[in-house]
Amino acid sequence: MAATQKYDEVEVGQEIPPVDYHVRRVNLVMYAGASGDFNQIHWNERFAKMVGLPDVIAHGMYTMAQAGRFVTDWAGDPGAVVDFGVRFSSMVVVPDDDQGATITVSGVVEEKLDDGQVVVGLTARSGDARVLSKARAVVRLA
């Protein structure tokens, strides 16, 4: 599989439109099973509040994965991502209702490198909070 985004057609400053990723408690339970991270703050409201959280929160790596999915969907190839890193700056609070929470991810091409690669800066928000900071991906384009 190869990237569908073409290096020659991408410009520095180009915005990648935002995408909403919805997360409900069931997604957190499934992620806990896949990752092996069964910390109660990710599924038990009573426990989360007991330790001072506003409610159950999404796994940080689950949130990071949504930003990664955003980049790979844009590039057209999961193998196109050469480097990816974030810092966690806020929590994604997931209420126990039919709505859950929304993680909105957007991006901008920050730099074009010489070898067909670009640096994409990412923004991830949930509600009024920026949940990832210093989020960057290096992507090899077609």
Side-chain angles (χ1 to χ4, degrees), residues 28-85:
L28 301 182
V29 172
M30 290 186 298
Y31 185 82
S35 68
D37 181 353
F38 292 98
N39 188 318
Q40 292 185 61
I41 64 174
H42 302 305
W43 57 270
N44 184 324
E45 184 173 335
R46 181 179 46 80
F47 183 83
K49 289 181 176 181
M50 184 178 73
V51 298
L53 296 170
D55 207 330
V56 164
I57 62 170
H59 303 74
M61 295 305 288
Y62 179 91
T63 303
M64 183 179 178
Q66 302 318 304
R69 183 167 97 178
F70 174 82
V71 172
T72 60
D73 286 351
W74 172 76
D77 176 12
V81 177
V82 176
D83 189 42
F84 179 51

Side-chain angles (χ1 to χ4, degrees), residues 100-124:
T102 301
I103 301 166
T104 302
V105 183
S106 60
V108 63
V109 176
E110 294 183 338
E111 186 179 356
K112 289 182 82 169
L113 306 174
D114 294 334
D115 51 1
Q117 297 182 41
V118 296
V119 177
V120 177
L122 301 164
T123 300

